């Protein structure tokens, strides 16, 4: 019997894009080895986020090709790099938008890791989760509780943490009126989190047909934005303490500002280059604020997963095998997904 190892490199399958705006092709890539302070994960599931289009189309700076995108990763630790002592092979983990931080920039020195100037996003700073394996720094890891499967956990790394973290750090307290603008990948989680956090929850979306789904997600009220005056309807409910704007529509965001009550906050999550329209008159006497919110750190992802396990909040997902990446991506882009596309590797 020989103990000789074969020189043939081990490979893993990955869905890559070779040029900006190009299509996906599933290829064999060399199995990546973890550097010091990193681990290799076996990817079980990876969510498909609208931000991935920003990388595929090179809309963000410094995107390199061939590109393997994907920043809603769930899987298990498979190999440890040198110096990794707080994680074990087999640990179930998620990695979201926050894929590591530098530790030395002014934001990191303040402990404000989400604003790290060199923050790493999987699928941008390094190959992401549209693959059977990824190598990530340990600072990116969030533990997955037993109650959540990999495909359920994956969307919590971006869509989940972004909505949960924005709401829990907002000005709203139990019983306050909180509106969630948009009922897509982020919005359907935002409504669930708002309801479970104890807010009087309003879902705002286009068309009467989404009312029933919104109620099922825990909304106490539904406003059809196609039917007219959203701000007036929010004022009729007492005025919103918070509007969580998940829809990437500056026009829709502008239209809700007058629905904010005193000290009300418009929290901007939906990414679009169009300006939000607001006059100083709308802000001054009611002390309203408008601010953005990026995401959350790995610890925030872990707390999001813990809260979901405790309360039953779940992403509603459509899963597709990695080989069907192009169809899954197109369905996400079309807005038809109900409500989050997740790729699975069968691993
Ligand atoms: Zn995302
Ligand atoms: Zn930093």
């Amino acid at each position: 019997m020989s103990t000789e190892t074969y020189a043939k490199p081990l490979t893993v399958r990955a869905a890559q894009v070779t040029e900006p705006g190009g299509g996906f092709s599933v290829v064999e890539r060399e199995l990546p080895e973890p550097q010091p302070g990193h681990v290799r994960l076996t990817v079980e599931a990876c969510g498909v986020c609208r931000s991935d289009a920003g990388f595929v189309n090179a809309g963000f700076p410094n995107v390199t090709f061939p590109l393997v995108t994907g920043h809603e990763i769930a899987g298990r630790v498979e190999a440890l790099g040198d110096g990794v002592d707080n994680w074990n092979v087999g640990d179930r983990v998620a990695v979201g938008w926050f894929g590591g931080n530098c530790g030395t920039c002014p934001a990191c020195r303040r402990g404000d890791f989400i604003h790290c100037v060199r923050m790493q996003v999987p699928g941008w700073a390094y190959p992401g989760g549209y693959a059977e394996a990824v190598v990530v720094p340990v600072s990116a890891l969030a533990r997955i509780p037993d109650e959540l499967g990999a495909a359920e956990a994956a969307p919590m790394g971006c869509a989940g943490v972004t909505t949960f973290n924005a709401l829990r750090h907002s000005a709203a307290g139990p019983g306050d009126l909180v509106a969630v603008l948009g009922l897509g990948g982020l919005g359907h989680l935002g409504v669930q989190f708002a309801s479970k956090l104890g807010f009087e929850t309003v879902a705002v979306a286009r068309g009467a047909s989404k009312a029933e789904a919104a109620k099922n997600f825990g909304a106490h009220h539904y406003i059809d934005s196609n039917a007219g005056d959203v701000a007036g309807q929010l004022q009729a409910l007492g005025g919103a303490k918070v509007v969580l704007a998940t829809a990437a529509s500056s026009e829709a965001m502008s239209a809700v500002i007058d629905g904010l009550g005193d000290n009300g906050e418009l929290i901007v999550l939906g990414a679009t280059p169009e300006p939000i329209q607001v006059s100083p008159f709308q802000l001054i006497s009611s002390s309203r604020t408008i601010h953005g919110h990026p995401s959350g750190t790995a610890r925030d992802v872990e707390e999001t997963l813990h809260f979901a396990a405790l309360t039953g909040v779940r992403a509603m997902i459509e899963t597709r095998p990695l080989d069907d990446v192009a169809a899954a991506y197109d369905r996400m882009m079309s807005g038809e997904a109900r409500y989050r596309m997740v790729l699975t590797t069968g691993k």
Side-chain angles (χ1 to χ4, degrees):
M1 193 169 112
S2 169
T3 55
E4 187 181 10
T5 54
Y6 292 96
K8 182 175 180 289
L10 295 167
T11 59
V12 289
R13 296 163 67 251
Q16 71 178 27
V17 174
T18 54
E19 60 183 8
F24 291 93
S25 53
V26 178
V27 298
E28 298 280 340
R29 288 165 66 108
E30 194 175 329
L31 181 70
E33 288 303 325
Q35 318 87 288
H38 290 62
V39 297
R40 183 173 69 233
L41 309 182
T42 296
V43 179
E44 297 172 59
C46 185
V48 180
C49 179
R50 185 164 279 271
S51 299
D52 290 334
F55 305 123
V56 168
N57 296 317
F60 292 101
N62 304 318
V63 179
T64 56
F65 293 84
L67 170 76
V68 178
T69 189
H71 59 265
E72 286 189 347
I73 302 165
R76 54 187 195 276
V77 175
E78 181 190 330
L80 308 177
D82 288 342
V84 175
D85 54 11
N86 48 343
W87 299 89
N88 295 307
V89 170
D91 285 349
R92 299 181 64 234
V93 292
V95 180
W97 179 260
F98 181 91
N101 64 299
C102 78
T104 57
C105 75
C108 284
R109 292 173 64 205
R110 287 197 295 270
D112 185 11
F113 304 133
I114 196 66
H115 295 127
C116 171
V117 296
R118 285 180 286 274
M119 202 191 87
Q120 297 175 291
V121 177
W124 184 7
Y126 51 79
Y130 289 16
E132 292 176 329
V134 291
V135 168
V136 301
V138 289
S139 59
L141 299 175
R143 289 185 197 280
I144 300 174
D146 292 342
E147 291 86 345
L148 275 82
E152 291 175 322
M156 295 300 176
C158 181
V161 70
T162 300
T163 50
F164 176 66
N165 222 26
L167 288 169
R168 70 172 175 163
H169 294 305
S170 75
D176 282 346
L177 192 74
V178 170
V180 178
L181 181 61
L183 197 65
L186 270 70
H188 88 290
L189 285 165
V191 169
Q192 293 181 66
F193 282 125
S195 176
K196 294 294 186 184
L197 284 162
F199 307 138
E200 183 177 357
T201 303
V202 188
V204 183
R206 286 179 295 184
S209 64
K210 292 179 181 163
E212 192 180 339
K215 297 278 170 69
N216 290 338
F217 291 133
H220 303 97
H221 312 277
Y222 180 76
I223 296 176
D224 172 5
S225 58
N226 286 347
D229 186 8
V230 176
Q233 292 184 69
L234 288 174
Q235 286 299 345
L237 292 167
K241 190 74 175 181
V242 166
V243 174
L244 187 72
T246 69
S249 164
S250 299
E251 191 182 345
M253 293 184 208
S254 303
V256 298
I257 293 168
D258 281 335
L260 292 167
D262 294 340
N263 301 301
E265 291 178 75
L266 174 65
I267 306 178
V268 177
L269 305 182
T272 166
E274 297 302 318
I276 295 168
Q277 303 289 330
V278 62
S279 78
F281 286 150
Q282 290 175 279
L283 301 178
I284 293 169
S285 59
S286 295
S287 306
R288 294 166 175 151
T289 57
I290 301 173
H291 67 92
H293 177 82
S295 183
T297 64
R299 179 61 192 173
D300 291 319
V301 173
E302 200 164 278
E303 290 172 359
T304 304
L305 289 161
H306 174 68
F307 186 85
L310 278 178
T311 60
V313 170
R314 293 291 185 278
M316 189 172 280
I317 56 173
E318 295 183 34
T319 61
R320 297 284 188 278
L322 182 62
D323 281 315
D324 293 347
V325 57
Y329 178 83
D330 289 347
R331 187 159 169 78
M332 177 279 296
M333 290 301 288
S334 74
E336 294 296 310
R338 291 291 173 270
Y339 285 82
R340 199 69 165 170
M341 303 305 300
V342 177
L343 298 170
T344 54
T345 64
K347 294 286 175 183

